[in-house]
Every structure is written in structure tokens, then in C-alpha cells.
Amino acid sequence: MKVLVIGGGAREHALCRSLSLDPDVTALHCAPGNAGIAEVAELHPVDQLDGEAVARLATELGAELVVVGPEAPLVAGVADAVRAAGVPVFGPSKEAALLEGSKAFAKDVMAGAGVPTARSYVCTTPEEIDEALDAFGAPYVVKDDGLAAGKGVVVTEDVEQARAHALACDRVVIEEFLDGPEVSLFAITDGTTVLPLQPAQDFKRALDGDEGPNTGGMGAYSPLPWADPKLVEEVLATVLQPTVDELRRRGTPFSGLLYAGLAITSRGVRVIEFNARFGDPETQVVLARLKTPLAGVLLNSANGTLADQAPLNWADDAAVTVVVASHNYPDTPRTGDPIEGLAEIAEQDAPHAYVLHAGTKLDGGKVVSAGGRVLSVTATGADLAQARERAYAAVGRIRLDGAQHRTDIARKAAEG
């Protein structure tokens, strides 16, 4: 099978790594890719928001499966253009991707499907914003209705900060605060059948102890030793399957990766948000544990044949990812700094630890930083403690001026 992956972050590197290890994949391409992906796939320049350009590239390459990684191309309708060109594609249509593209649309779908979520108001005027903030009280949860690369949410005790964020958005969702730990659960679906993956937990705040600003994610781990063993079963029955059924009923079937961000509250599981693609950095740890070859599963989703898929096979190992970010992230990050130590990790830490590239590029044969989140250092181990140890040992070899990372990823879970 010839596969083309669209995107250029650590999520796409994780996907490309898994696909490159799949014996059924005979040729692997990525557009636009990054310095790390170049080691496992052939790179092509493309405007990933241009559906016609992506479809043309897929046709020229003779791709038999296109995997769209990031949310922006999905919300822009890239998957529709590829489907129209007759190429199987893993990723929802523009209409179905609105589940991530609009928080208000997602709330409407959840209401129709009877999915448990936070009570909320959709606001477009200063008066509506003030009423909603007043109704819920602190802590305030304010979400930009549109795409914001994981940084459109403010959770604060400060009503002025909440109001300022709300006023800066065209349309905003203000909702009640959900207590309890958060869980990310991915499911692969063809619009009818829903195949859940293993749960993971990510760390959104920039600094240790969940301090500092919200980011796109600073690390993740899987499995969750503290979670109820029936969690996946429960979420499949109460969240994932009803949502997929509701979208099909509306005439906008969702095929691809449905990501549920969940809060395990004192009143039970509640949906914080849906995403329409693999999450970053959770993908890095979930795929590290998946033993079933990936390409066939994604193709079954694209072809509507997921009911024929054999049960997924998972490693008993634990996996931990630590994100190495550039100076000043998540504000305007500094780029162009050389990254050293990657060869040492490949020599000394493989196969238990490896580096997935996010914001990198090649500059005169050298790997340099090219974004906010630069690398996802991923490791596996017999348990979370061993996986953590291996991940942080590898992080310690990386030399990048001004780099920052959290030191407490999976610590609490590993200590039990």
C-alpha cells in the first residue's frame, strides 16, 4: 500500500513511524513533513489547506490511502477533495469536522445525542458574556468557538481575564467548570462502527505542577493505572457511539479519528471537547503501545469496512512523551536554533526511547528549531516509572539553546 500523510508535526511523525513499521506499506510519503519525518518518508512540498493541491499530489503519487493529520486541513475540506478524486482518505468531511471547528456545533450534537457534557452558553455580545460569567461563577471556563491550535481555552478565577478572552473572540462558549482528572480517548470510526483506542492523559500547562499558560500539550502518558478498567467501555457506550450515530442521523457521517477530551467528575464522565483528528502529544504514546499494524485499520475506516477489523492488539508496556519546546513558547517562540544530541539518543537509547520531530527543519544539513513545540521525546518501559526514566534520560541528551520542558510528566501516575 502506498500511503500519503498530510502534516508536519510530531503527531504526523508518530503516524509515519508506525506506518513505516507496517509490512503492508510499500511506499510512504509525507507533505510537507519535517526533518525527522524525512528519515522514514519521502517529503513533498504542498499547501496542506489546499484540497485540490493535496488531491493532485495523492493522484500523482498513486496513493492508495491519504491520512490527514492536523485539524485545519480537515476543517478546510481537504478530505472531501481527496475523496472526490477517488482516493481513500482517513479523516472526516468538512461538515463532520465542524465537531472540532465549532464548539457551539459540538454542543448541539451532544445535546441531540444525549452525551453528558458541561452546561454552557454560546455568546456573541458583551451583555451575553457578562450574563454567562455571572451565571456560572468562578472558576470561569471560556472557549473560542473556532480553531485555536489548542490554545483557545482560558480557565481562570479572574473574571476580568475571562471577560477579556471572551471579548477577543467572535463567538465564544462559556461553560461550567468540570472537576476531576482529564482523559483523552481516541476512537477510529467509519461513520457506523466505532473502535476505541487506549486512553491517555496529556499535560496542557507550560510549567511543572500545572502552572503557567495553556499550550498545545507538553507531554502525555498511557496507560492510566488510576482509571476505572471499564472506562473505555463506558465512554464507547455513552459518548463515542451516540455521537457517531447522531452525526450519521444528521446526514453528515463522521469517518476518521474521533477524539473525546473527558473529565472524570464526581458526577461521572463528562465531555470537555471533541477533536476530529489524532491529538498531539497523546498520539505519540498511544501509537507507541499499538501492536496491530496501522495502515489496514486506517484503510478500513476510509473504506467503511471497520466492522471487519480484528480486535486491536496492545503492548502491556507503558509509554511517556516529554515535549521539548523552544524559548518563549507558547508566546512567540524563537526559531532557527541548532538541535544537537539526536544522534546520541539514536545510538544509546533506542529502541526504548526515540525522538519524534514537531517544529524542526533541515538547514544546511543541520536540524534546527522551526516552531514552538520542537520535539516529542517518547519512551516505553515495563511500567510508567521505567518509561519516565528512559524518556527523561533521552531529554537530558538534547542540546537546544533556551529549550524548556516539564519535569513532572506522568510522575504522579508513576508513583501511584
Side-chain angles (χ1 to χ4, degrees), residues 218-220 320-324 375-378 391-392 395 405-406 409:
M218 295 298 289
V320 171
T321 280
V322 179
V323 171
V324 176
L375 305 167
S376 281
V377 180
T378 304
Y392 279 107
V395 168
H405 67 270
R406 281 184 58 160
I409 303 300

Side-chain angles (χ1 to χ4, degrees), residues 179-330:
D179 62 329
E182 294 185 12
V183 173
S184 300
L185 186 62
F186 302 161
I188 291 170
T189 178
D190 58 5
T192 304
T193 301
V194 182
L195 189 66
L197 305 185
Q198 289 286 304
Q201 186 175 56
D202 79 330
F203 294 75
K204 284 281 184 227
R205 299 282 183 175
L207 307 174
D208 283 7
D210 289 330
E211 299 289 329
N214 232 13
T215 71
M218 295 298 289
Y221 70 93
S222 177
L224 313 181
W226 50 267
D228 184 330
K230 293 200 174 117
L231 176 67
V232 174
E233 215 175 289
E234 182 194 338
V235 174
L236 176 62
T238 62
V239 174
L240 299 168
Q241 192 71 56
T243 300
V244 168
D245 292 346
E246 172 68 11
L247 284 164
R248 191 175 67 251
R249 187 188 68 75
R250 291 174 176 224
T252 54
F254 187 105
S255 149
L257 195 291
L258 178 59
Y259 163 143
L262 309 163
I264 314 299
T265 76
S266 51
R267 293 169 296 149
V269 174
R270 297 286 184 273
V271 175
I272 300 168
E273 65 173 355
F274 283 124
N275 289 335
R277 40 72 197 179
F278 278 104
D280 182 345
E282 301 98 318
T283 302
Q284 289 85 304
V285 291
V286 172
L287 291 185
R289 299 184 56 227
L290 179 64
K291 289 168 80 173
T292 303
L294 186 61
V297 187
L298 303 186
L299 187 63
N300 277 333
S301 162
N303 286 338
T305 51
L306 208 53
D308 303 335
Q309 175 67 43
L312 298 178
N313 189 7
W314 295 93
D316 292 330
D317 286 4
V320 171
T321 280
V322 179
V323 171
V324 176
S326 54
H327 177 72
N328 207 35
Y329 178 78

Side-chain angles (χ1 to χ4, degrees), residues 120-181:
S120 63
Y121 294 106
V122 179
C123 308
T124 53
T125 67
E127 293 74 28
E128 288 173 348
I129 287 165
D130 287 340
E131 275 177 38
L133 292 172
D134 195 42
F136 287 129
Y140 303 98
V141 181
V142 183
K143 299 180 174 182
D144 190 335
D145 180 52
L147 289 183
K151 295 177 231 165
V153 180
V154 165
V155 181
T156 179
E157 298 280 343
D158 181 344
V159 70
E160 291 309 321
Q161 188 189 357
R163 182 181 286 118
H165 182 65
L167 291 169
C169 305
D170 287 339
R171 186 158 80 147
V172 70
V173 175
I174 296 174
E175 61 184 42
E176 67 175 327
F177 177 76
L178 296 174
D179 62 329

